[in-house]
Amino acid sequence: MNFFEDEINKVKEQGLYRSLRTLSSAQGPEIEINGKKVLNFCSNNYLGLANDPRLNAAAIQAIERFGSGSGAARLISGNLELMEILESELAEFKGAEAALLFNSGYHANIGVIPALAGEGDVIFSDELNHASLIDGCRLSKAEKHVFRHNDLGHLEELLKTSSPPNPLSSLSKRGGRWIVTEAIFSMEGDLCPLEDLLKLAEKYDAMVYLDEAHAMGILGKNGEGLAPSDFPPNLVSMGTFGKAFGSYGAFVVSSKSVKEFLINKARSFIFSTALPPAVIAASREALRIIQNEPDRRESLWKNIEYLNDHLPSISSPSPIFSIKIGSAEETMKISNRLLEEGIYLQGIRPPTVPEGTSRLRLTLMATHSEAQIKKMTSWIKNYATFSENGDKEG
């Protein structure tokens, strides 16, 4: 038996083995997995735009004009005018000076953080940050400190005792401080106390890097996310198109000088072939819909309110609900049994979440009907009655 087989067997023994399930339908409230129709409650397609015909039409039109691929990195020959138009629209949407596209949220976080924070800088990272943020911090050569989840008191203690900031500004010379956090935490579903965090950052001459992947499109008056509409100078924000926008890719909004800096320093931007025209066009159309159709957000929040009322034990301020089971093995037994009953609710295990906190991560979409949520809720209410072998009792 070789090393790889040994490692796979260890993963299986720990209840952490992962395998792919095959979908044969578009994303939506109901999907087809391995030939079976099931209710989908684990997608980040929050506004139901991933299968919207208007995004499809915009993508097709872009292909007909620009072709299927961008051909190169943007600094070579792949900088389509569509990209610059979308960046201008995003900057206006966010109330910021500038925006810069990236190929994914992961690409953005592992490229931007090491560019912004280097040797001589200090990073303060929330303990429940997404893996891409953690990896971005690791790739930087900055001094790193982890603060307890959303605990601004602990963060202030670390800010007080860490190396003092460079008095000439964190953006002019090394010696700056960066607070790295999420807007909506992807596994917990809770929100960052951003207003107070920005005040703390200003007090200690720190910059904030905010991952708004799960907030973009659903929070804010017009879906602009958690960041304030008068975009503060000590903030850099990352958003994605792969969730509420129903497309693919990511972007960073910032000052013009930070954008120019990232074009020259962010390796994941410099050395990646640019996003294809179809994706850019679909994202532009999604942005238009999000700004002009608030009823989609209203439908989503109505569904969130319904689930909070009917499952108060797992209440959430976002479309992400965390049903903590504890054991990885038991989590997957329940997830598999729910799938048999026609409800797709994926189990989340370490290393995605801390040891002993395996859970079902439940997400809602604007396009879920009350009947679909009610059916799912009735099964979730019974999840604790599953016996050790995964068979439902009674």
Side-chain angles (χ1 to χ4, degrees):
M1 190 176 294
N2 63 32
F3 167 80
F4 303 107
E5 291 173 344
D6 287 342
E7 289 300 304
I8 289 297
N9 286 334
K10 288 178 185 177
V11 169
K12 288 179 177 178
E13 290 169 5
Q14 295 166 349
L16 302 178
Y17 180 72
R18 289 164 168 79
S19 60
L20 297 171
R21 289 192 170 109
T22 303
L23 277 68
S24 52
S25 63
Q27 283 289 325
E30 187 177 70
I31 56 176
E32 189 171 305
I33 297 179
N34 297 330
K36 178 181 180 180
K37 288 186 177 180
V38 297
L39 294 180
N40 181 15
F41 283 98
C42 55
S43 172
N44 296 325
N45 180 29
Y46 300 126
L47 297 179
L49 291 176
N51 60 347
D52 190 290
R54 291 169 293 180
L55 271 68
N56 298 345
I60 291 169
Q61 187 176 9
I63 288 174
E64 289 174 344
R65 180 179 176 186
F66 296 104
S68 59
S70 59
R74 289 181 68 183
L75 287 169
I76 306 299
S77 63
N79 188 41
L80 292 174
E81 61 179 348
L82 275 179
M83 298 170 184
E84 295 187 351
I85 293 170
L86 178 55
E87 286 173 341
S88 296
E89 292 171 343
L90 288 166
E92 183 178 357
F93 177 58
K94 292 289 290 180
E97 287 185 3
L100 183 65
L101 297 175
F102 283 82
N103 284 21
S104 71
Y106 208 106
H107 272 87
N109 287 341
I110 65 170
V112 175
I113 295 174
L116 295 176
E119 190 172 359
D121 292 328
V122 185
I123 290 175
F124 304 88
S125 177
D126 190 289
E127 67 176 336
L128 294 187
N129 275 340
H130 187 267
S132 59
L133 292 170
I134 294 171
D135 289 350
C137 292
R138 287 172 175 168
L139 285 169
S140 79
K141 296 180 180 179
E143 178 184 334
K144 290 169 276 291
H145 299 275
V146 177
F147 62 93
R148 291 188 292 270
H149 177 53
N150 275 346
D151 188 337
L152 299 192
H154 187 216
L155 172 58
E156 185 165 18
E157 288 177 18
L158 295 173
L159 285 164
K160 284 179 179 177
T161 57
S162 70
S163 306
N166 188 315
L168 298 179
S169 162
S170 60
L171 291 183
S172 61
K173 288 189 176 182
R174 291 302 185 192
R177 298 166 160 203
W178 286 89
I179 300 169
V180 177
T181 188
E182 294 185 61
I184 296 178
F185 286 83
S186 60
M187 291 297 122
E188 301 295 326
D190 58 347
L191 276 59
C192 160
L194 183 62
E195 184 177 350
D196 291 335
L197 190 145
L198 285 169
K199 290 178 182 176
L200 192 63
E202 185 176 6
K203 179 180 177 181
Y204 288 95
D205 194 21
M207 297 285 292
V208 175
Y209 184 83
L210 180 68
D211 184 324
E212 295 194 86
H214 293 273
M216 204 65 65
I218 65 171
L219 293 183
K221 183 179 178 181
N222 297 304
E224 67 273 14
L226 187 63
S229 55
D230 53 336
F231 203 82
N234 65 339
L235 178 65
V236 174
S237 172
M238 190 279 289
T240 60
F241 300 118
K243 297 173 175 60
F245 279 68
S247 181
Y248 184 72
F251 59 94
V252 169
V253 288
S254 64
S255 66
K256 291 180 180 178
S257 60
V258 168
K259 175 180 178 176
E260 188 175 5
F261 177 83
L262 292 176
I263 289 172
N264 287 274
K265 294 290 186 178
R267 293 173 65 84
S268 62
F269 173 85
I270 297 168
F271 298 110
S272 292
T273 297
L275 288 166
V279 168
I280 301 297
S283 298
R284 284 193 69 205
E285 180 62 16
L287 178 60
R288 187 193 67 78
I289 292 170
I290 286 170
Q291 292 176 298
N292 294 315
E293 297 183 9
D295 55 304
R296 284 184 175 268
R297 284 190 301 282
E298 291 168 7
S299 295
L300 175 63
W301 287 105
K302 181 181 178 182
N303 286 342
I304 293 169
E305 183 179 358
Y306 179 90
L307 193 56
N308 277 328
D309 288 343
H310 289 78
L311 281 178
S313 61
I314 61 163
S315 63
S316 173
S318 78
I320 303 169
F321 293 76
S322 184
I323 306 172
K324 293 181 181 176
I325 310 298
S327 159
E329 186 176 4
E330 186 65 17
T331 296
M332 294 314 298
K333 284 181 180 179
I334 296 171
S335 175
N336 291 334
R337 180 57 192 271
L338 287 170
L339 186 60
E340 291 174 9
E341 299 295 336
I343 297 168
Y344 188 35
L345 192 50
Q346 188 60 275
I348 307 295
R349 298 159 287 166
T352 309
V353 293
E355 200 74 41
T357 67
S358 292
R359 67 199 65 186
L360 301 175
R361 179 182 180 273
L362 190 162
T363 53
L364 292 176
M365 290 182 267
T367 45
H368 278 127
S369 69
E370 186 174 306
Q372 290 170 331
I373 299 174
K374 186 176 181 180
K375 179 180 178 181
M376 175 272 297
T377 302
S378 66
W379 274 100
I380 295 301
K381 284 181 176 179
N382 294 328
Y383 86 88
T385 66
F386 283 79
S387 66
E388 289 296 319
N389 62 11
D391 294 326
K392 183 175 178 295
E393 296 174 345

